[in-house]
Structure formats: C-alpha cells, structure tokens
Amino acid sequence: MKKITLLMFGLFQTFTYAQTQDLAALASGEHTGMNALFDDKDNLYGYVSIYSYGKSGEKTKKFEYVILDKNLNPVANKEFEGDITAASYLGYVDSKGQIILKPSRIDYTLVKNKDLFTPVSMVIDPKANTVTRKIYYDYLENGTFKEINEPKNWKEQRKENREEKKEKGYNYVSAVGELKEGGYFAVEYKDFGKYISNNSLMKFDKDKKEIWKYSYNTNGDKKNFSTLTVLEKDEKYMYCIMKKVSDDKKTFNLVVIDMQTGKEVSSKPVTGLSDETIDNIDTFYAGYGKLDNDKTFDDKVVLVGKTFSPSFAQLGFSRLIVNKSDFSTNVKSINFKQDLTTYLPKINANGYVENGYMLQSRDMYFMSDGSVGILAEKYKPMTEYTAPKTTDLVYIYTDGDFKVKDVKVFEKEKTRWFNNDYLFSQYLNDGKDVVFFYRDYQKDQVTKEKKWNLFINTIIDGKFKQEIIPISEKDNFVVTPYVAKEGYILLREYNEKEKFNKVRLERLNY
C-alpha cells in the first residue's frame, strides 16, 4: 500500500469539512472502482476500493483491495489473484460478516472467445485480512455435495442439461447457500420443461449432514402445482408464501417454517388482494431493475408491491405486513386514480400523469409504525422516433394504515436517455426519518449556463426540507456523490488526466 496522504480539496464551501481520502494514493494499481458496504441490517459498514495490476498468469489477473471504514480510514488491504476474465469487483457483506468481492464486469480483452469463463467471487475475512476464492457447492440428486472449483461455461452446462433431460425426462436443479449461524441451506426440484415438481428445502450442519427436509409440490403437473416464495428468514423462522394452483384456481397461504426442525408451525390464508398482486408481492421491478421493496423489523416484515389487475396492468401499490408474534398478515392498497388525484390531478388509473409520462418507482422507505415512503419519477418510455425521458420526482408518503398522508412533487429539468438523476437515500434518527439525494442539470439564472446541482431532501417528522448544492465539473474535475454514514454524504472528485481521485465526507445540515 502506498503512503496515505490526507488532503483537503475545496470544491464546496457549503458543508462542514469532515475527512478526505486520496484513492489514488492507497495502492499503485489502476483504480477500477469503489462501492459502499452494508451489513445485514442495512447499516453502512464502510467501503471497498479495487485496483488492478493486469495479467499475472494464463488465467489470472492481479488485483488489490483496500477496505475503508465509514470514516474513510483504511483498515485493511491485500493483493490477490483473480480470474483473468474479471474487469473489476463489487463488494458486499454476507450474513456471516465476510466481505464478498463479486465480479462486476467481464473482461473480454485478454482471452479468446472460446476460452471465456465466468470469473469467481473472492471472500475476504476482515478479522484475519485473508482473501480466498469463494467455494461453491452443488447438491446432487443422490444426496451428496460436490465442490465447484470453476463454473462451467454456458455451452458445457447446456450440453449436460440436454443429455440429462434425454436420459431422465427432467433436469434436476439445486442451489446451495451458507447460513449465518453455520451450516448450509439448499433447494431442489425437478424441471420437466413445461412444469416442475418434487420441490424441497433442506438444512445441513457444518459437516453437510442433513438436519431437516421440507418437501412440497411432490406431484406437480401442468395444471396442479405449488410454489413457495421465501419472504424472510431469521434464526427462528422462515416466512413464506405458498401458492397452490388447481385448474387455474389459485390460493395463497403464509407458511411459517421452524428453522430448527423444518416443521410447518403455521399456515394461514392471505387474501384481500388480487391473485396477480399476491403472486408478485415479493418483487418490484422498475424500468432500471429490481427495487428493494421490503424491510424487516423486530416485530414484523413489511413489503410493498405493485397492485395488478387480472391483465397485469398496474393500478397502484399494495402493502403486506407479516406479524411475527401471531403469524397473521395485514394487507392495504393505494390506487392511483382514487388516492392520488387530489395531489396529482391528471393521474389516471394506470399511473400516467400527463403527456405520456407515467410514475416509475425509484426507491422506498419503511418506518417502524408501518408507514411507507414511495419515491417515483415521471418517466416517458422511448418510441421508434423518440428517446426515453424523465422529469419531476414524486414522493408519496403514507401513514401507518397505508393511507396517503402527503405527496410532494420535486420539479426537475427533462433528462433524455438516462434516468439516473435520482442518486440514493439513507435513514436518519434511528430509522425514523429519511434523506434522499438527486441531481438536476439546471440553467443558472445569472450566467444562463447549465450546471449540475445536488438536491438534498430531508423528511423529518413528516416535514420536508431541501438544500441545493452546485456540483458541476470544475476545471475538468468530475464530482460524484456517494452514500455515506448517517448524517453525511461522500463526495468524489476525479480527474483521470491528472490522476486525481479523492473522496471526502461532509456533514449534512438538518
């Protein structure tokens, strides 16, 4: 590691100076990226910065990681041999407190197409500062585990699947994960192509000895089958939605499984929402990807999904609460037309607001009383002749009964092609309040020049406050905001030509 140099840089005068770090000085390799790390309770753990030293072997490339704590102090670094097909890595903290470096991009430049393979993740033990290749396991149909040292390429996997299907009439599918308390968890089923059957969940100890097995859909076919969706699990219970289909008729139950014994301790109907809504309550897709749409509290699990009609038109939002004390559920809905017209007079039943723009969800915030904040953006899809566009942000805030309490519209300039004006958010005051950040390319009223501004929006005790900070490029220095510890923002100032790559923490004013 290079000697660390602390240097203040004065692009902003609005914040109170906290601390800076020179990413370019932390290691001598080429900086390929940095991202925030969060623990299993979504609290900021720190940051990981990745550096590349190029090809080191026929199938390897040399990298270095530097771990920073949430105050930007470097706490660990180490060089390691990654796969040659990895361009960089993104880090995350797993349930066991290990830092996993997952390949973020594939590097096609150093291998031929026929030699392409998927790079393997790396595992950092923060306490020992050791790094090893992540070990993957297959669970086989004969009840044994097989260690996977190198993932198969898609051609090999496809060939094996065809041969197995020809021999057995189905493909045996399984997946294995590690448990926080030690041991392993696995799922398995038989894929017949047009339907699946013989599903099981299994728990194993650290020696891979089976502790329990929960089976369902044992005689599934095209018209009669069951599916199980895991909503959340902790050391005591696993909370799931069991869907049973019989000749196109669907029923849904909240099934609770004891994590120590694998026994079903509760099964209660989930009703009050359309089948399409319940069936998709665990996932929330927006135009840019999957949205984090749930939060677990000590006494409950809260999920917010899209309200769907039978034809899968979105009609609003639905909230499902799972009560941990008695395994009951509570469902509520917000309809676009019925509940938001007071605040958005032009909104229609499917969430279109005006001139072909629709509400596209960008983030969600969950409070301990069951109230929810939904941040959306006015979005107009692309056509054959026009680019996709985004304009204003819309914040929908509910009370504990999931009734609309307020709607705030943040006017924003039109952006074409890229819907990346919304940046990120964080909870404040032990999860009671929220701050979210977005940027906008605006014309200066004095100079008439267009510049980027950063908008900092706090919602404290249900009251909105906004600060506007200029963040446009200055002398070819690009400024990028990042998420930081509670009450702070991280600002990165970067100039590739001058090898300038610094970050600093600044306190928010709230």
Side-chain angles (χ1 to χ4, degrees):
M1 180 187 289
K2 286 186 177 180
K3 182 180 179 182
I4 295 164
T5 305
L6 296 179
L7 177 66
M8 279 189 5
F9 55 99
L11 181 62
F12 302 102
Q13 300 299 325
T14 305
F15 298 99
T16 303
Y17 167 72
Q19 185 171 346
T20 66
Q21 189 58 265
D22 186 351
L23 297 179
L26 292 177
S28 57
E30 175 191 358
H31 185 255
T32 62
M34 180 192 80
N35 73 275
L37 302 169
F38 298 87
D39 63 21
D40 58 356
K41 297 186 182 300
D42 292 329
N43 298 314
L44 184 69
Y45 176 99
Y47 303 89
V48 58
S49 190
I50 303 295
Y51 303 83
S52 173
Y53 293 91
K55 184 177 180 180
S56 58
E58 184 180 349
K59 292 188 175 183
T60 59
K61 187 186 295 181
K62 185 178 177 182
F63 293 91
E64 183 174 358
Y65 66 80
V66 179
I67 306 298
L68 307 172
D69 66 16
K70 55 188 175 182
N71 295 311
L72 298 185
N73 299 307
V75 294
N77 75 291
K78 201 174 192 66
E79 295 179 357
F80 65 93
E81 298 289 334
D83 289 322
I84 197 170
T85 50
S88 187
Y89 294 85
L90 286 174
Y92 67 91
V93 181
D94 70 4
S95 61
K96 300 172 73 172
Q98 302 173 128
I99 298 172
I100 310 299
L101 299 182
K102 183 178 180 180
S104 60
R105 301 189 308 276
I106 303 294
D107 186 353
Y108 297 97
T109 61
L110 299 177
V111 293
K112 298 177 181 178
N113 284 338
K114 65 182 181 67
D115 298 322
L116 273 180
F117 62 94
T118 303
V120 172
S121 296
M122 308 299 295
V123 181
I124 300 172
D125 180 344
K127 295 180 180 178
N129 192 30
T130 58
V131 57
T132 56
R133 288 172 65 85
K134 184 172 177 59
I135 298 174
Y136 299 87
Y137 291 99
D138 258 348
Y139 183 74
L140 306 181
E141 195 170 2
N142 62 11
T144 62
F145 284 80
K146 178 184 178 183
E147 185 175 322
I148 306 171
N149 295 314
E150 189 171 298
K152 301 183 183 74
N153 64 43
W154 68 273
K155 286 185 178 180
E156 292 174 334
Q157 188 65 60
R158 190 177 179 184
K159 181 181 177 182
E160 287 186 9
N161 288 345
R162 283 199 304 263
E163 292 174 350
E164 183 185 37
K165 183 75 176 293
K166 185 177 180 180
E167 177 187 351
K168 300 179 179 178
Y170 61 85
N171 287 128
Y172 176 79
V173 181
S174 67
V176 178
E178 295 184 64
L179 293 169
K180 179 180 180 179
E181 61 272 21
Y184 301 88
F185 195 78
V187 299
E188 66 173 359
Y189 60 87
K190 293 178 180 179
D191 184 356
F192 289 86
K194 294 184 178 180
Y195 65 94
I196 64 174
S197 70
N198 298 94
N199 299 65
S200 294
L201 307 179
M202 295 164 286
K203 184 179 178 180
F204 302 86
D205 64 18
K206 60 183 178 61
D207 297 318
K208 304 181 186 66
K209 181 181 178 181
E210 184 180 303
I211 299 174
W212 55 256
K213 184 173 186 176
Y214 178 85
S215 297
Y216 63 98
N217 192 39
T218 53
N219 297 302
D221 56 36
K222 286 186 285 186
K223 292 188 175 183
N224 302 279
F225 60 89
S226 301
T227 65
L228 191 72
T229 301
V230 178
L231 303 179
E232 182 61 284
K233 66 180 178 66
D234 52 36
E235 294 183 2
K236 289 184 177 180
Y237 300 109
M238 184 184 305
Y239 305 89
C240 314
I241 294 288
M242 176 75 81
K243 177 179 72 173
K244 294 185 177 181
V245 179
S246 178
D247 292 324
D248 295 327
K249 183 181 178 181
K250 299 176 183 177
T251 58
F252 299 87
N253 279 48
L254 177 74
V255 171
V256 182
I257 300 171
D258 190 306
M259 282 294 290
Q260 303 305 313
T261 65
K263 295 185 181 298
E264 190 176 293
V265 297
S266 179
S267 178
K268 296 181 179 180
V270 180
T271 58
L273 300 173
S274 70
D275 290 351
E276 294 75 18
T277 301
I278 301 174
D279 206 5
N280 294 276
I281 197 74
D282 64 307
T283 54
F284 198 115
Y285 287 98
Y288 56 91
K290 189 177 179 182
L291 200 66
D292 186 4
N293 68 322
D294 69 297
K295 188 173 177 64
T296 300
F297 298 91
D298 291 339
D299 61 337
K300 60 182 171 287
V301 182
V302 184
L303 301 95
V304 170
K306 296 179 181 181
T307 303
F308 287 112
S309 71
S311 62
F312 279 98
Q314 188 184 354
L315 305 177
F317 305 99
S318 292
R319 185 194 68 180
L320 169 67
I321 291 181
V322 176
N323 297 301
K324 293 184 177 182
S325 59
D326 58 3
F327 309 136
S328 63
T329 57
N330 177 280
V331 297
K332 300 282 185 179
S333 293
I334 293 172
N335 292 319
F336 288 132
K337 184 73 173 175
Q338 179 179 332
D339 299 308
L340 298 180
T341 301
T342 302
Y343 309 94
L344 302 169
K346 295 182 180 180
I347 196 168
N348 72 5
N350 300 121
Y352 283 84
V353 285
E354 72 258 340
N355 301 322
Y357 284 84
M358 60 184 291
L359 291 184
Q360 186 179 82
S361 301
R362 301 305 309 268
D363 210 343
M364 292 185 186
Y365 318 109
F366 299 86
M367 309 304 168
S368 59
D369 66 349
S371 60
V372 178
I374 302 170
L375 184 66
E377 191 170 26
K378 294 180 181 179
Y379 168 74
K380 190 173 186 177
M382 69 182 297
T383 68
E384 185 178 357
Y385 303 105
T386 63
K389 306 175 186 71
T390 57
T391 57
D392 306 337
L393 288 169
V394 178
Y395 186 83
I396 304 164
Y397 184 60
T398 78
D399 61 15
D401 290 325
F402 205 57
K403 293 180 180 178
V404 178
K405 189 175 181 180
D406 195 9
V407 175
K408 181 75 173 176
V409 178
F410 300 89
E411 294 185 357
K412 187 167 61 65
E413 293 293 318
K414 185 185 298 182
T415 300
R416 291 177 172 85
W417 290 113
F418 302 103
N419 58 340
N420 58 356
D421 290 342
Y422 173 69
L423 298 171
F424 47 79
S425 64
Q426 62 177 224
Y427 289 100
L428 301 173
N429 303 320
D430 296 323
K432 297 177 182 177
D433 303 306
V434 167
V435 57
F436 65 87
F437 305 81
Y438 69 90
R439 62 177 192 163
D440 195 15
Y441 197 51
Q442 297 181 323
K443 182 181 289 187
D444 188 280
Q445 296 300 317
V446 178
T447 66
K448 304 303 180 182
E449 295 180 359
K450 296 197 77 173
K451 295 183 178 180
W452 284 106
N453 287 324
L454 173 67
F455 290 75
I456 303 170
N457 311 276
T458 54
I459 304 97
I460 299 177
D461 293 330
K463 297 179 181 179
F464 290 88
K465 179 184 176 183
Q466 185 179 82
E467 280 193 82
I468 305 173
I469 309 299
I471 58 166
S472 236
E473 292 185 13
K474 180 181 179 182
D475 300 327
N476 296 318
F477 283 77
V478 179
V479 179
T480 306
Y482 283 78
V483 68
K485 63 182 180 179
E486 182 175 322
Y488 288 78
I489 187 172
L490 180 70
L491 302 170
R492 179 188 178 199
E493 192 176 16
Y494 176 71
N495 183 305
E496 183 177 7
K497 184 177 180 180
E498 297 188 22
K499 304 298 181 184
F500 191 91
N501 192 0
K502 291 184 172 63
V503 292
R504 72 172 177 180
L505 284 170
E506 299 291 358
R507 184 186 294 276
L508 303 176
N509 296 318
Y510 70 93

